[in-house]
Structures are given as structure tokens and as C-alpha cells.
Amino acid sequence: MGAISSSTRSIEQDHKDIQSMFLAAKMGKWPDVWRILGTPGRPLKPYLINIIPEDRRWGLLQQAVWWNNSSAIKTLIQFQTCDKDLKAKDGISEKGPTGGHTAQQIAELFGYLEVSNIIKNHIPSQREENIDTYYDGNSSIENEEYGLFRITLAAYKRAFHPSHVDKTKQLSVLLNDVFKHVDTGNNWMAVRDKVAQALFSSCEEASKVVSQCTTKSDFYKRIVNVYTDETTQLYTNMNTALRRQRDTGFKPTANDLALGPYILMFHLLLFCWRDLWQPLNIEDYACYTEKERVYPAGAQFLIKRRSTKDGVPTIHLKLLACLGSE
């Protein structure tokens, strides 16, 4: 139970389930949440537990804190996939700003000491601490390793693909459709806002840069630019999130899911933005903090030639487009 579909069939249903689940949580109807999420002993869709969808600023755990519902909190944190470090998007509650706050911090802000202690004293299931940050992308876009794309499309469907998702389409074809939507008219502005809002809890600096873009071209350039800026640490976090998809029973962390809209947008540009790959000039939009990180991990290259000068070898590479190329 709880496996992510290896096709696009799951996107529409996951979108509906996310909407229903968060509406139920907002209304305090936790039995309706469990009907979708499952229970710790019999999880149905545990990969959705750490999501904060496009029209919300809190996750399920923070919403349970708002209700001061210790029973719901105990149930949520018993899920092996529950990430108690989930941070809220930027926003203000009746008690003050909650942007970047965990559920425990919100409980303390509201004065709910009992539920604060429940969360504080909970020892989560051990996660892999030293996960390999290198992601070689040497796999089909259709397989389970791209579960993060599907979850992101389900949670941010209105911004990225508001029309009905044809479940017979392959994911690679759907991503081309997504880029066409983003690239049409002023649709990029809604995507910019959602990417920036989601990024806030993971990388506030990058969120601010993205949110300040005033043109579509600038938005596209900044998506690439902040990735190659070493100070944002997006390189490590992004590739860790992608690498985690290879785990059996994909269990995305809160940080993985917060990066989802940015990662999706980055890949759309990498594989679909003609200005970027015809000619292949990603370096025009990159920071040169570390040249070996100008190109994203997961890209595929053709070795053109090798040369040596003063004992220093230089490998000349050509970036190969894997999706959306014609």
C-alpha cells in the first residue's frame, strides 16, 4: 500500500485527495483525513503526509496543532513518513507570523504546551542521513524515480496544469504540456508565486530572488541562476530530493516536497526551454561559483574531446537534452 503510480494515472486522483484531505483537516474532520491517508498501521497514501499544497500555508501536522488536537497529532507522528520538521509557508496567523515555523513552534506560539511536548518528545523513524547527493538521471522518465514530479503536479495542479490530465499520456509528454501552459501568456506569474512560496521554508534567499522576477525571461533565468549559486545550497538539497526517489517505497521529506515546484520548473527549463538548449547555453544564466556545478546533476553529456595544458586535463562536454528535444 502507499506506492506511487509509475504513470500519470495517479495525478488527478491524488489532486482530488489532497484537496479533500486538507479541507477535512481545516474543518477538524480527522476521520475523513484517515480515509485518504490511511493509518500508521495501514497507510494508504503516506507520501502525501508532508505536502503543503498550492492553496495552503500549513501542513497536516500544523493544522492539527491549530485544533489543539493531541489525538490527531499522535496519529500523524506515528506514520513512519511523518516529518515533524515540516515548516510552514510564509504567512501570519492570529498569533503572529508563522512563516518557517514547525508544528512544535506553532504550538508554543499558541500556548499549547501539551501538544508541543508531544511533538518535541517524539523520536521519529531513523532516516538515511548520508544519502548520496549525486543523481545520475540514468533512467526512464516514466518510472517510479520521478514520483516527486507527480506529487508536485497533483499538489500544484492549478498553477502548472489546470486542465484535466489525460491519464493515457506518458509523463514526458505531459511535462511538455506543462511547459507550454507555463510559457503561455502570463501563466508564468502564477507559477513564479507558487515556486517562491514553496521555496520559502527550504531556502528563503532563493525564494526572495524568484518572487522578485518581473518578466518571464527573468523568471526563467533566475530559476537556473539560484541553482548555480553555491550559497543557496539548492544543488545539494535538490539532488538529495531526486536521489531519495530511488528508495523502496518513496518517502519524501517535507524539504523534498517544498522543493518540488522549483525542481519541476528547473527540469521544464532544462529540457523544454529552447533558448536554453538551442544552442546549449545554460552557462549564460549561471553563477560561476563552481564551474563543475553549472550543469545539473542528472544531465547527460557527450564527451567531445580531451586536452591537457600544463599538466591540467580539460574535458569538453556537450549537454544532451533528454526531454522535450526535437
Side-chain angles (χ1 to χ4, degrees), residues 110-129:
F110 277 68
Y112 299 154
L113 299 183
E114 179 184 354
V115 297
S116 173
N117 286 329
I118 290 174
I119 299 171
K120 179 181 179 180
N121 295 328
H122 174 69
I123 301 176
S125 300
Q126 186 174 3
R127 286 187 178 272
E128 186 178 1
E129 295 295 332

Side-chain angles (χ1 to χ4, degrees), residues 44-197:
L44 298 176
K45 293 192 173 184
Y47 54 88
L48 297 181
I49 197 170
N50 299 317
I51 198 75
I52 301 181
E54 59 189 326
D55 54 351
R56 304 288 179 180
R57 54 191 174 90
W58 285 1
L60 293 175
L61 194 56
Q62 284 118 334
Q63 196 65 63
V65 166
W66 188 87
W67 282 102
N68 197 18
N69 189 324
S70 58
S71 176
I73 290 170
K74 289 177 181 178
T75 299
L76 287 168
I77 61 179
Q78 285 172 11
F79 279 85
Q80 290 186 357
T81 50
C82 183
D83 187 348
K84 72 175 188 177
D85 293 325
L86 169 69
K87 296 179 181 179
K89 294 177 183 176
D90 194 20
I92 299 177
S93 71
E94 59 267 36
K95 295 292 185 177
T98 57
H101 282 34
T102 64
Q104 181 187 337
Q105 290 171 325
I106 292 176
E108 293 172 353
L109 180 65
F110 277 68
Y112 299 154
L113 299 183
E114 179 184 354
V115 297
S116 173
N117 286 329
I118 290 174
I119 299 171
K120 179 181 179 180
N121 295 328
H122 174 69
I123 301 176
S125 300
Q126 186 174 3
R127 286 187 178 272
E128 186 178 1
E129 295 295 332
N130 297 316
I131 190 168
D132 188 358
T133 60
Y134 172 70
Y135 181 74
D136 63 20
N138 188 25
S139 56
S140 169
I141 189 68
E142 305 308 328
N143 70 17
E144 69 280 358
E145 292 184 17
Y146 289 86
L148 186 58
F149 285 178
R150 282 185 288 275
I151 296 175
T152 299
L153 286 172
Y156 288 80
K157 187 174 179 298
R158 292 172 184 167
F160 283 102
H161 194 284
S163 59
H164 183 79
V165 174
D166 183 350
K167 62 183 180 181
T168 65
K169 284 189 175 182
Q170 294 183 333
L171 184 58
S172 56
V173 177
L174 177 61
L175 291 181
N176 275 287
D177 292 344
V178 171
F179 182 73
K180 289 177 183 177
H181 170 76
V182 175
D183 199 48
T184 300
N186 289 325
N187 293 339
W188 68 272
M189 298 177 70
V191 174
R192 173 202 61 192
D193 294 344
K194 299 306 179 184
V195 170
Q197 290 166 11

Side-chain angles (χ1 to χ4, degrees), residues 254-325:
N255 196 58
D256 295 343
L257 294 170
L259 287 170
Y262 172 82
I263 293 175
L264 176 58
M265 192 64 223
F266 185 92
H267 276 70
L268 291 176
L269 294 178
L270 179 62
F271 297 122
C272 302
W273 187 26
R274 300 183 68 88
D275 287 348
L276 190 66
W277 57 266
Q278 288 189 350
L280 297 171
N281 57 351
I282 190 173
E283 62 271 16
D284 287 353
Y285 311 115
C287 297
Y288 276 86
T289 306
E290 288 188 12
K291 290 186 178 181
E292 66 269 24
R293 293 192 177 182
V294 168
Y295 294 100
Q300 296 182 0
F301 300 93
L302 175 66
I303 298 177
K304 301 293 289 184
R305 61 190 176 91
R306 183 183 189 278
S307 61
T308 302
K309 183 177 181 180
D310 298 329
V312 179
T314 299
I315 307 297
H316 300 264
L317 304 174
K318 177 181 179 181
L319 177 64
L320 301 178
C322 303
L323 288 176
S325 56

Side-chain angles (χ1 to χ4, degrees), residues 211-260:
S211 68
Q212 292 175 347
C213 296
T214 57
T215 66
K216 181 171 66 177
S217 177
D218 187 40
F219 172 52
Y220 290 176
K221 292 176 183 178
R222 292 298 179 183
I223 289 292
V224 176
N225 187 266
V226 295
Y227 172 86
T228 60
D229 183 351
E230 192 71 14
T231 62
T232 66
Q233 296 187 331
L234 276 180
Y235 172 87
T236 298
N237 293 334
M238 174 174 160
N239 287 284
T240 297
L242 290 171
R243 173 64 178 81
R244 204 187 312 277
Q245 293 176 114
R246 293 186 170 184
D247 292 349
T248 301
F250 179 39
K251 303 178 182 67
T253 66
N255 196 58
D256 295 343
L257 294 170
L259 287 170

